[in-house]
Amino acid sequence: MEMILSREFWVGLFAIIWINILLSGDNAVVIAMAARSLPPKQQKQAIIWGSVAAIVMRVILTIVAVEMLKLAYLKIVGSLLLLWIAIQLLVPEDGDDDKGEKTYGSMFAAIRTIMIADLVMSLDNVIGVAAAAKGNIVLLVLGLAISIPLIVFGSTLILKVMDRFPIIITGGAALLGWIAGDMLVTDPAIVDWVRASANWLESLRIAPIMGAVLVVIIGTWIARRKPPVLEDGKA
């Protein structure tokens, strides 16, 4: 009880909530993009469960984040995985079945995409949250739990806007590519070499730009190569 009534507790709680507001924009984007392939009735469920899963994974990751970020090649693997996810999000999943009826992606696949993407993107973000919590697990869990409705609201809003402005889907995928490119050049295994021999990749933001461009080009190319679906449901 003393802990809850203390000034430090409330300052830390506010800091965690504020950090999540600032850092959850990319998470809301990927949740909305993954949910768009589902039937309208399941989209809300995917957003809620995807947000809850993202927060739970972030709690777990925050606890071990400081040590994980010291591992060489972890960010490289994560950035390549995020690039793949971003490209996949640009490829439409829905179409028509053999009866000419519209088909959708699965709830499990959408939530899996959300969890993997959030895990990768949170490698850096959780450092700020862990610092604000100062080792207080109760404060950490409470602050992140309060962030759930913020992510749900953001994801729902983005999903609605996507229906009206499909270009946002491309922008969201490009954002993930940007994050992946930035993550790649900050891996402990190569960061010293980058800063000594190819500092322009980081200082001029060339790596993030290349990541965003790569995602858009490859994702658009794959999407255009998918065979068109005719009215009778046959390609």
Side-chain angles (χ1 to χ4, degrees):
M1 190 67 179
E2 268 184 43
M3 178 184 68
I4 297 177
L5 294 177
S6 67
R7 177 178 177 273
E8 290 76 15
F9 178 86
W10 291 102
V11 170
L13 180 62
F14 176 79
I16 290 174
I17 294 173
W18 183 243
I19 289 170
N20 273 280
I21 291 175
L22 296 177
L23 300 181
S24 293
D26 49 5
N27 301 91
V29 169
V30 75
I31 290 172
M33 291 182 68
R36 84 182 196 279
S37 64
L38 297 172
K41 291 182 179 179
Q42 292 185 9
Q43 288 179 350
K44 192 171 183 179
Q45 296 177 27
I47 288 175
I48 293 174
W49 285 110
S51 299
V52 171
I55 290 296
V56 171
M57 291 190 65
R58 189 171 291 190
V59 170
I60 297 171
L61 184 59
T62 301
I63 296 173
V64 297
V66 175
E67 293 303 318
M68 285 185 65
L69 289 174
K70 295 178 183 178
L71 299 177
Y73 305 107
L74 180 64
K75 285 188 175 182
I76 294 177
V77 174
S79 65
L80 295 177
L81 183 59
L82 192 56
L83 283 172
W84 178 81
I85 290 174
I87 291 171
Q88 292 301 309
L89 289 174
L90 275 179
V91 180
E93 295 182 10
D94 54 350
D96 292 337
D97 60 14
D98 293 336
K99 299 179 181 179
E101 297 178 352
K102 194 174 185 63
T103 59
Y104 297 93
S106 70
M107 173 81 74
F108 174 78
I111 294 178
R112 181 188 59 198
T113 298
I114 292 168
M115 291 179 65
I116 294 175
D118 186 80
L119 173 65
V120 173
M121 292 187 298
S122 295
L123 289 175
D124 285 331
N125 295 357
V126 294
I127 291 298
V129 175
K134 297 179 179 178
N136 190 325
I137 302 300
V138 175
L139 182 59
L140 171 65
V141 173
L142 183 59
L144 292 176
I146 293 174
S147 304
I148 292 177
L150 300 176
I151 299 178
V152 170
F153 173 78
S155 305
T156 303
L157 180 62
I158 293 172
L159 187 60
K160 290 181 179 178
V161 176
M162 279 181 182
D163 289 337
R164 297 190 61 182
F165 306 100
I167 188 65
I168 293 179
I169 297 173
T170 302
L175 172 62
L176 299 183
W178 177 283
I179 295 171
D182 187 55
M183 184 186 300
L184 180 67
V185 294
T186 58
D187 186 274
I190 63 172
V191 66
D192 291 336
W193 176 85
V194 169
R195 290 173 180 171
S197 305
N199 186 51
W200 47 274
L201 284 172
E202 190 174 8
S203 61
L204 299 179
R205 315 301 288 172
I206 299 300
I209 291 173
M210 289 175 62
V213 172
L214 187 67
V215 165
V216 173
I217 290 177
I218 296 179
T220 302
W221 178 72
I222 294 176
R224 288 179 177 175
R225 283 180 60 87
K226 287 193 72 174
V229 179
L230 304 179
E231 293 183 359
D232 62 358
K234 298 179 180 179

